[in-house]
Amino acid sequence: MKIILKIQRYNPETDKKPVFKEYTVEVDPNERLLDALMQVKRFQDGSLVFRKSCAHGVCGSDAMMINGKDGLACKTLIKTLVDKAGDTITIKPLRHLPVQRDLIVDQSEFFAKYRSIKPFLINEEPVPGKERLQSPEERKQFDDTTNCILCASCYSACPVLDDNQGFLGPAAICQACRFLVDSRDRGFDDRLAVLDAPDGVWPCENHFKCTQVCPRSILITKRINQTKRMLEKHKTDDTA
Ligand code: SF4
Ligand code: SF4
Ligand code: FES
């Protein structure tokens, strides 16, 4: 069937501000949105730019706003977006990050926040034997968080970032939690200053928008609240 892709376009070299451009494409409703975007790029307008790589929900590069909801173009079926021929799918770049061109945003700030929580195992203690062992139960404590593909959908969806660009954001906090609950990690104090800062975990208002859009079904808000509880416990233990 024929549908319309209404895509936000912006070329900083020629455009003063973003404009929408419409493309009519012939699609199978069982195709993914990425297929339709590729069709535009290949056969209608080679100047359209967007990121993509794996096309299978693994690399996290084709996150965008699709009919007002953040998600991966390669994991979104067209039939979930339109009912009938002639319907329109509106596509915009992620929010809260500067648009470089068309659907490509500058992810520097997102990754700077991610790096600020030291997303790696911290443990200066000598390695016992060959490796730091962990039971299956201990591994389960952070299982879902390891599925993050750093797509920034959650970062775009979070309403707190509308008014507070400094907020650390859901992905970074979720990945901090991933290490804080890892039985092998000793980096709580190293991450404390960033997480406990005014722009750290506390601005989160439990809107759950991040959790709703995460293409990897990570319970982000639950992890943020878990992190808050760990910080609160640390403060209580300190004053006891
Ligand atoms: S937590 Fe989910 S939405 Fe956020 S960056 Fe990771 S995979 Fe993407
Ligand atoms: S739960 Fe917190 S981080 Fe997630 S969208 Fe809501 S305010 Fe943002
Ligand atoms: S292209 Fe890699 S996640 Fe969609």
Side-chain angles (χ1 to χ4, degrees):
M1 67 177 175
K2 280 198 167 98
I3 58 161
I4 297 159
L5 297 188
K6 185 177 171 188
I7 305 173
Q8 183 175 308
R9 303 291 311 269
Y10 175 64
N11 180 346
E13 287 168 12
T14 53
D15 303 333
K16 283 204 171 64
K17 57 179 188 175
V19 288
F20 280 101
K21 204 164 169 190
E22 294 190 358
Y23 303 90
T24 302
V25 281
E26 177 77 41
V27 292
D28 179 326
N30 292 311
E31 284 178 330
R32 295 126 358 129
L33 179 61
L34 182 61
D35 300 315
L37 282 169
M38 287 305 295
Q39 196 188 130
V40 172
K41 172 102 184 147
R42 282 183 181 139
F43 303 112
Q44 293 193 38
D45 188 344
S47 71
L48 173 68
V49 296
F50 51 89
R51 284 196 187 99
K52 61 114 182 114
S53 180
C54 70
H56 291 286
V58 178
C59 72
S61 60
D62 65 341
M64 52 190 74
M65 279 197 87
I66 306 160
N67 279 353
K69 190 177 171 207
D70 306 281
L72 301 175
C74 68
K75 275 197 81 179
T76 306
L77 295 180
I78 287 165
K79 67 181 174 191
T80 65
L81 301 168
V82 293
D83 295 323
K84 56 185 184 321
D87 280 356
T88 299
I89 300 172
T90 304
I91 306 166
K92 295 169 70 173
L94 292 181
R95 302 187 314 140
H96 305 138
L97 293 167
V99 178
Q100 288 181 316
R101 185 165 162 171
D102 295 342
L103 301 175
I104 293 187
V105 291
D106 180 350
Q107 298 165 307
S108 307
E109 196 171 308
F110 173 75
F111 281 108
K113 288 175 177 175
Y114 170 62
R115 279 194 293 273
S116 76
I117 57 89
K118 301 185 194 289
F120 42 83
L121 194 85
I122 299 173
N123 191 335
E124 299 300 329
E125 295 165 8
V127 180
K130 278 198 205 151
E131 56 190 319
R132 300 183 198 282
L133 294 174
Q134 188 167 55
S135 70
E137 287 68 34
E138 287 170 333
R139 175 63 176 73
K140 254 190 216 154
Q141 297 304 311
F142 57 90
D143 205 35
D144 62 323
T145 59
T146 63
N147 291 329
C148 177
I149 53 174
L150 296 172
C151 68
S153 293
C154 56
Y155 193 86
S156 175
C158 177
V160 168
L161 280 149
D162 291 352
D163 304 315
N164 180 0
Q165 270 291 312
F167 175 41
L168 193 51
I173 301 172
C174 187
Q175 287 311 299
C177 185
R178 177 252 173 273
F179 288 100
L180 295 183
V181 300
D182 188 324
S183 60
R184 303 163 299 177
D185 190 86
R186 303 286 178 268
F188 186 91
D189 291 340
D190 296 276
R191 300 186 184 96
L192 188 60
V194 172
L195 295 171
D196 199 21
D199 283 339
V201 297
W202 307 113
C204 170
E205 293 168 358
N206 282 316
H207 292 290
F208 282 90
K209 296 280 182 205
C210 52
T211 305
Q212 285 162 7
V213 301
C214 178
R216 305 298 297 226
S217 306
I218 301 170
L219 300 178
I220 309 170
T221 312
K222 189 175 148 193
R223 293 299 185 173
I224 294 172
N225 289 337
Q226 188 178 9
T227 307
K228 283 181 178 175
R229 283 197 299 277
M230 279 187 273
L231 296 188
E232 274 156 5
K233 182 173 181 309
H234 174 76
K235 282 183 197 169
T236 318
D237 290 350
D238 254 13
T239 51

